[in-house]
Amino acid sequence: MKISVIMPVYNGEKFIVTNVTKVRELLESYQGVNLITDFEIVVVDDGSKDNTLRLIKESFSQDKRIVIVQNIINQGKGFALKNGFFSSSGDIVVLIDSDLDIPPEQIKNLITEYKKGYDIVISSKFEKGSELKYPILRRIISFIYYITIKILFGLPIRDTQTGLKLFKREVLELCLSRMVVKRFAFDLELLLIAHRYNFTIKTVPVKINYHSSGFVSPSVLLMSFIDTISIFYRAKILQFYDRPITIPKSYPYKFFILSEQKLIGINTNDKDVNEISDDEFVIIKNYKINKNLDLGVLASIIESYKIGVINGSISYSENDIMSYISSNIIFSHLLMPLYNIAVRVVNTRLIPMPISDFLCVDGKTFKYLLSEKVNLSDIKDITLKLKKKYNFFVFSSDWSTISNEKLELVEDYFLRLSLLIRTGNISGLVFRGVLFFSLWFTLALSIATNNIWLALPYISFYLLYLIFKLILSGLKGLVLLPFFLIFSLIIGLIGTLSPIFYLLYKGDN
């Protein structure tokens, strides 16, 4: 039995080498007594800004048992764990925080319980026998979160957040294809999905020796709350996690990467572009292939939903203030309906959008693109052509890629609005339009009648937005506010009138 231990780290130069060495020595001792037959440690650097990555490479690059994974920008613990899993090969997978506040010697307890026949073994602060050197503030937050989870989800698990868990590999292969959350409530979503699919879960006591003060920033608390409510919406309103999914064995689909005019086989032989079969798949445009990720999760989604086009999400590095403003306006949940939660759910109303450097199409679709003489190096040209043929895309966060392109605030924003209108996907646009038009109307009416109370909804809404951004981004939120005001006025006018614009466009075509 091979075990993979995944250790995500962010700015951990002070401890990462010592802690990885400690875990390696521990696993060597387990191997010596035949508790495991083989092991690997997957260290995932989540966009650290210090010397973490350099130290890891200097210390462990010669050890084949240490797998080093890098996220170019920080994307959160959940994404790091997911990325680490897709770079692993163990029969069982252990997730552990790299600061080792939870002593790794407890991995043995998880393996022992796993061998009794459980699919998942997790440590829990609420189990009898737990020893907690844990700040009182953390205890209060943990208890409040437990009560919240119990009320919202009714999970038979008292502690979803403790950072030491063991999974059978097949559990993660299935569950991660359903995952949306990348950051704060990753553990909750993962265990909720596992529970929905009737995997057996065992909880064991834990020893925690917490090293920091226990302070939790308001932004982390806020985003954790938002992630939790989003999971509740998907679980209880959309029933997203209840939809059937199949994990095909032995990867029944053949995958290729498009390279110039050649199809490079990932799990098959290379081909010329004209030799593609309808039931084969081509991955187009700037993507570093991870075979475990693409062939496992891609195949499971294709098999489950019988689809031919898969689009992925994208991350932009916010290197300067204009990049920060553009990213926060174009990808705002409030200002752009594309990024509300419905976008991540498979249905026939999703819009093909040029917003990702990752695109996978079946052979039939690829032949169509060739017949249309599409520029296969231009993702916008590809997706606009596909709009003629398809009314849907699958937009999944499992393939988050990093773009080096610079966002053009006005051009990109209006491109997305125009595609919404032209495809008739305007329900979210109308809702936002009416909301913002009403707010600006109350402000205008307040000025016209010299009645400050009429402007109260307007003032309250934008004040709450400003507080929200200040919590998340600090003083940069102040810079963002005037741009948000301008674009909210634009969305108010265009959104309210979008049904008329759509009817005019439909009449002309």
Side-chain angles (χ1 to χ4, degrees), residues 133-149:
K133 293 182 180 179
Y134 206 48
I136 186 64
L137 178 61
R138 285 270 181 173
R139 294 186 185 219
I140 294 171
I141 292 172
S142 181
F143 180 74
I144 293 173
Y145 194 68
Y146 157 65
I147 296 297
T148 303
I149 298 308

Side-chain angles (χ1 to χ4, degrees), residues 15-211:
F15 59 79
I16 190 60
V17 173
T18 300
N19 288 358
V20 172
T21 301
K22 183 176 182 179
V23 173
R24 180 176 61 183
E25 292 173 352
L26 182 70
L27 296 177
E28 287 173 343
S29 70
Y30 291 170
Q31 193 174 11
V33 296
N34 296 321
L35 185 64
I36 58 176
T37 58
D38 197 6
F39 73 87
E40 65 182 0
I41 302 172
V42 183
V43 186
V44 186
D45 175 65
D46 193 24
S48 294
K49 296 179 181 179
D50 60 7
N51 294 315
T52 298
L53 183 63
R54 179 179 62 81
L55 292 172
I56 295 170
K57 289 182 176 180
E58 288 177 357
S59 303
F60 304 112
S61 59
Q62 300 302 314
D63 190 341
K64 294 182 179 180
R65 299 170 301 178
I66 310 295
V67 180
I68 302 172
V69 180
Q70 180 192 14
N71 295 338
I72 298 175
I73 64 174
N74 179 260
Q75 300 201 68
K77 176 184 172 183
F79 185 84
L81 289 171
K82 181 186 290 188
N83 204 14
F85 169 72
F86 292 127
S87 300
S88 71
S89 58
D91 304 302
I92 59 174
V93 179
V94 169
L95 312 180
I96 187 169
D97 293 341
S98 60
D99 57 13
L100 299 189
D101 282 345
I102 301 176
E105 290 78 10
Q106 297 171 85
I107 293 175
K108 182 178 180 179
N109 299 335
L110 274 61
I111 297 174
T112 301
E113 292 299 325
Y114 166 76
K115 288 186 173 182
K116 294 178 182 179
Y118 295 102
D119 299 310
I120 304 168
V121 186
I122 64 174
S123 53
S124 171
K125 297 185 292 292
F126 297 106
E127 280 292 311
K128 185 177 180 180
S130 292
E131 298 178 15
L132 309 177
K133 293 182 180 179
Y134 206 48
I136 186 64
L137 178 61
R138 285 270 181 173
R139 294 186 185 219
I140 294 171
I141 292 172
S142 181
F143 180 74
I144 293 173
Y145 194 68
Y146 157 65
I147 296 297
T148 303
I149 298 308
K150 193 71 176 176
I151 294 172
L152 293 180
F153 302 100
L155 273 177
I157 304 168
R158 297 185 67 188
D159 185 1
T160 61
Q161 301 307 111
T162 299
L164 177 61
K165 299 178 177 68
L166 179 150
F167 296 85
K168 183 190 293 185
R169 185 169 195 87
E170 290 78 0
V171 174
L172 292 179
E173 284 180 341
L174 189 148
C175 293
L176 290 182
S177 64
R178 273 289 198 266
M179 295 288 296
V180 174
V181 171
K182 297 187 204 177
R183 289 188 179 269
F184 302 98
F186 175 88
D187 304 79
L188 168 62
E189 187 177 33
L190 178 55
L191 292 173
L192 176 65
I193 296 169
H195 177 65
R196 290 295 180 98
Y197 287 112
N198 297 315
F199 288 114
T200 53
I201 303 174
K202 172 68 175 179
T203 57
V204 297
V206 66
K207 296 179 181 178
I208 299 179
N209 184 16
Y210 207 76
H211 297 120

Side-chain angles (χ1 to χ4, degrees), residues 187-351:
D187 304 79
L188 168 62
E189 187 177 33
L190 178 55
L191 292 173
L192 176 65
I193 296 169
H195 177 65
R196 290 295 180 98
Y197 287 112
N198 297 315
F199 288 114
T200 53
I201 303 174
K202 172 68 175 179
T203 57
V204 297
V206 66
K207 296 179 181 178
I208 299 179
N209 184 16
Y210 207 76
H211 297 120
S212 67
S213 65
F215 173 76
V216 182
S217 69
S219 63
V220 170
L221 291 175
L222 179 60
M223 293 310 299
S224 298
F225 174 76
I226 292 173
D227 277 354
T228 301
I229 296 302
S230 299
I231 294 169
F232 176 80
Y233 175 69
R234 285 191 293 278
K236 300 297 184 179
I237 308 301
L238 299 176
Q239 282 84 47
F240 175 62
Y241 305 118
D242 293 331
R243 301 177 185 186
I245 189 166
T246 304
I247 295 294
K249 300 300 181 183
S250 303
Y251 305 134
Y253 302 105
K254 294 179 180 179
F255 292 94
F256 299 87
I257 308 169
L258 178 64
S259 178
E260 297 180 350
Q261 291 300 308
K262 189 78 172 177
L263 296 177
I264 308 300
I266 304 177
N267 62 337
T268 186
N269 297 325
D270 299 352
K271 282 187 176 183
D272 290 328
V273 291
N274 295 317
E275 296 175 342
I276 190 74
S277 300
D278 287 355
D279 59 350
E280 297 173 332
F281 286 80
V282 180
I283 295 172
I284 301 174
K285 181 74 175 169
N286 296 344
Y287 187 66
K288 292 182 179 179
I289 297 303
N290 178 323
K291 291 186 178 182
N292 291 325
L293 168 61
D294 296 328
L295 302 192
V297 181
L298 272 181
S300 69
I301 289 184
I302 292 165
E303 179 72 13
S304 300
Y305 296 113
K306 307 299 181 185
I307 52 177
V309 181
I310 300 174
N311 198 4
S313 65
I314 194 166
S315 297
Y316 288 90
S317 181
E318 298 172 357
N319 295 322
D320 53 54
I321 192 64
M322 280 310 300
S323 297
Y324 168 76
I325 292 169
S326 298
S327 179
N328 277 269
I329 294 297
I330 293 173
F331 301 135
S332 167
H333 290 264
L334 286 170
L335 296 178
M336 182 52 62
L338 286 173
Y339 279 79
N340 63 12
I341 199 62
V343 172
R344 299 189 184 279
V345 181
V346 178
N347 60 56
T348 58
R349 298 298 289 168
L350 296 186
I351 309 158

